Amino acid sequence: MSTNGTNGSNHDGANGASEKIIPLQINGKEVKTSTTFDVVDPSTGKVIWKSASASKEDAMNAIEAAQAAFPAWSKTKPAKRRNILLKAAEILQSRVEELGGYMMTETGSQTAFATGFNIPTSVEMLKDIAGRIVTIAGSVPVCGEEGTNAIVYKEPYGVVLGIAPWNAPYILGFRAVAYALATGNTTILKAPEFSPRCYWAIGSVFQEAGLPAGCLNVLAHRPQDAAEITTLLIEHPSVKKINFTGSTHVGGIIAAAAGKALKPVLMELGGKASAIVLADADLQKAATQCALGAFFHSGQVCMATERIIVHSSIADAFATHLSKAIANIFPASGPAPVLVSPAGVKKNHALVSDALAKGAHLAVGSLPDAPSPSSTRMRPLVVSHVTPAMDLYRTESFGPTVSLFVVDSDAEAVVLANDTEYGLTCAVFTEDLRRGLEVARGVESGAVHINSMTIHDEPALPHGGVKMSGFGRFNAAQGLEEFLRSKTVTWRD
């Protein structure tokens, strides 16, 4: 059963009582449900609040609201959509402490990642999209037959379903709907169970900015209802396109369901990013960037560095620099980094234990004999002598674990970097740009960053992967084009 309400709409910071229920947002109204689920602070293991849990009826109501809003929204002038996005950026900036608090509480992230990176990047994204709206244009091609003319229109799809994860909720949540809204689509945003209040906040920002009712609907649900609700949303005839950011495993399920319904999908999935340190690299810079790339947000980033590949001539010196960089950025005297759930700690311990049993060495850090079943904290680990026989070689750790490899040539580094089913991002460290570009051209990846870490996302740069890291692109002009389809109209004189 669902009822309309306003619970959750007050800007009370991140210290709400566990009795607080975060509502759904459907057709411009906040909706409470009789079924809820607990939301836990991973830093403390305590319930911080509850979230409304969408039923099939709620999902249908969201679809109907989005479909009803589409005719009017698709006909709005670019200037109106631009102004709403700019207003949303302004509101987001003004609520940075509030929204940053939600993110730190729900995901265990540090201030630098929440208010120092996620929210500022989201603000710039909204501004960038707003500035590009007026550039959307069709074309007037020349037809081959005399007296025949044509126009190619760019049109929105209709209702777009965005499914985004918990780990960078504002960047990934806003982009799941902002590009679609900017191009005249209406949207349904499916929130992850770990951070529903962050996603409620996204809806709140757009509503405060003047987005018409029904254009954005935010749903959250219990984990056990995921298959039923998601399948309903994907298969409904009113939903015309899906975008998904998350694991490759779940992405495959989403893509299969969308393919069965013959619906297009945009996907940004997992990664196994390599950082390649060439013989001429600035070792201190490379070590610092590798440490940040591997352990920023406890390694819970799809672009995180999973492999560090170092030329043999500098391997020992680099290892020393890397150890120092990790000690400086993630000191042992401070609290261990937080993962969103004990499952992440368990997975990383299992991967490293398997590697050590098969001959790998710990170059940095140590592994407890038996981590606490409820522990969400884990210190950075660097594992050397990793081989293809070990699970860690191919499995995305999505945690504070990185493998260290030594190679004898640039060509060998490229082969190793490509020896993975993933292809999202990569880093190359060198003082020779020509050499760096040559390596970059050889790596099978959606992006390569020379002399900076693998984690790099900004609105002006297309973002997406190859191979099992997905297809399609968010951001920039390509991000807008993803949510437009062409219609060719011809006529004869």
Side-chain angles (χ1 to χ4, degrees):
M1 186 181 78
S2 303
T3 58
N4 293 335
T6 57
N7 195 350
S9 60
N10 55 312
H11 304 169
D12 62 355
N15 299 312
S18 60
E19 293 79 15
K20 185 175 190 63
I21 298 176
I22 309 306
L24 313 177
Q25 293 165 310
I26 300 174
N27 203 25
K29 298 177 181 178
E30 298 194 331
V31 175
K32 295 182 289 186
T33 62
S34 57
T35 303
T36 63
F37 61 90
D38 292 341
V39 183
V40 175
D41 180 345
S43 299
T44 65
K46 296 179 180 179
V47 174
I48 41 175
W49 39 69
K50 296 178 182 291
S51 173
S53 182
S55 63
K56 292 173 68 175
E57 179 186 358
D58 295 317
M60 285 297 301
N61 289 340
I63 294 170
E64 291 168 3
Q67 182 60 44
F70 175 68
W73 180 248
S74 64
K75 292 179 174 63
T76 55
K77 294 299 182 183
K80 180 175 181 178
R81 282 178 262 147
R82 177 199 64 201
N83 291 343
I84 289 174
L85 285 168
L86 289 174
K87 184 65 175 177
E90 179 185 322
I91 292 165
L92 179 57
Q93 183 63 61
S94 72
R95 293 172 61 181
V96 62
E97 296 302 323
E98 174 205 347
L99 272 63
Y102 299 156
M103 181 176 169
M104 288 184 281
T105 302
E106 289 190 323
T107 72
S109 64
Q110 297 296 306
T111 304
F113 189 62
T115 60
F117 176 67
N118 247 263
I119 295 177
T121 300
S122 300
V123 169
E124 290 307 310
M125 179 198 306
L126 293 172
K127 291 179 180 178
D128 184 88
I129 296 169
R132 294 178 188 273
I133 291 175
V134 294
T135 68
I136 297 171
S139 61
V140 184
V142 177
C143 294
E145 187 177 344
E146 192 68 34
T148 299
N149 305 277
I151 293 177
V152 179
Y153 291 98
K154 293 288 183 68
E155 297 182 341
Y157 279 86
V159 179
V160 171
L161 169 63
I163 307 174
W166 59 269
N167 57 324
Y170 299 123
I171 294 174
L172 304 182
F174 272 108
R175 81 176 189 187
V177 295
Y179 290 94
L181 290 168
T183 46
N185 301 277
T186 53
T187 59
I188 299 168
L189 179 59
K190 199 169 85 69
E193 69 270 19
F194 288 128
S195 55
R197 195 166 192 183
C198 292
Y199 281 73
W200 166 84
I202 292 171
S204 170
V205 166
F206 273 117
Q207 186 172 30
E208 192 176 340
L211 185 68
C215 290
L216 170 59
N217 305 274
V218 183
L219 301 177
H221 55 68
R222 302 176 303 173
Q224 60 264 42
D225 297 330
E228 181 179 57
I229 299 297
T230 306
T231 300
L232 185 156
L233 291 168
I234 292 172
E235 292 182 348
H236 195 283
S238 293
V239 175
K240 303 301 185 185
K241 183 163 184 172
I242 300 98
N243 72 84
F244 172 79
T245 301
S247 72
T248 295
H249 171 69
V250 176
I253 297 171
I254 299 291
K260 186 177 179 181
L262 294 179
K263 296 184 181 182
V265 288
L266 162 59
M267 296 207 152
E268 195 239 283
L269 306 175
K272 190 73 177 173
S274 292
I276 301 173
V277 185
L278 302 183
D280 67 336
D282 180 323
L283 297 188
Q284 184 172 345
K285 178 195 296 181
T288 299
Q289 291 295 306
C290 285
L292 288 170
F295 306 124
F296 197 40
H297 197 30
S298 305
Q300 300 169 116
V301 182
C302 53
M303 298 175 283
T305 303
E306 294 264 341
R307 295 173 169 178
I308 301 173
I309 304 170
V310 188
H311 193 275
S312 56
S313 64
I314 55 159
D316 290 343
F318 174 80
T320 300
H321 280 283
L322 180 63
S323 181
K324 289 180 179 178
I326 294 170
N328 288 335
I329 302 170
F330 307 98
S333 58
V338 175
L339 280 75
V340 78
S341 74
V345 176
K346 191 175 180 180
K347 176 183 179 180
N348 276 260
H349 276 261
L351 289 172
V352 175
S353 296
D354 172 77
L356 295 178
K358 294 175 180 176
H361 302 160
L362 276 173
V364 175
S366 60
L367 200 63
D369 292 335
S372 167
S374 62
S375 174
T376 56
R377 294 185 180 271
M378 180 177 173
R379 295 197 181 277
L381 297 176
V382 179
V383 187
S384 64
H385 298 83
V386 175
T387 70
M390 304 167 187
D391 294 342
L392 183 59
Y393 184 85
R394 298 196 184 279
T395 303
E396 180 186 20
S397 72
F398 209 68
T401 301
V402 68
S403 302
L404 180 63
F405 298 88
V406 178
V407 296
D408 293 322
S409 68
D410 296 359
E412 187 182 350
V414 171
V415 170
L416 178 54
N418 288 338
D419 189 19
T420 170
E421 64 182 2
Y422 299 106
L424 185 58
T425 185
C426 180
V428 179
F429 295 92
T430 177
E431 293 298 284
D432 183 343
L433 181 58
R434 185 186 297 273
R435 186 177 182 182
L437 290 171
E438 183 177 352
V439 171
R441 291 293 298 272
V443 174
E444 298 168 346
S445 178
V448 180
H449 307 292
I450 299 175
N451 290 331
S452 65
M453 64 175 165
T454 56
I455 300 174
H456 189 130
D457 190 13
E458 57 182 281
L461 301 178
H463 181 71
V466 299
K467 302 194 290 188
M468 297 291 278
S469 289
F471 39 80
R473 293 293 181 267
F474 287 103
N475 295 359
Q478 290 90 329
L480 292 175
E481 290 292 334
E482 285 284 351
F483 298 98
L484 293 165
R485 57 189 180 189
S486 63
K487 176 185 285 182
T488 301
V489 177
T490 67
W491 72 93
R492 295 182 65 106
D493 293 340

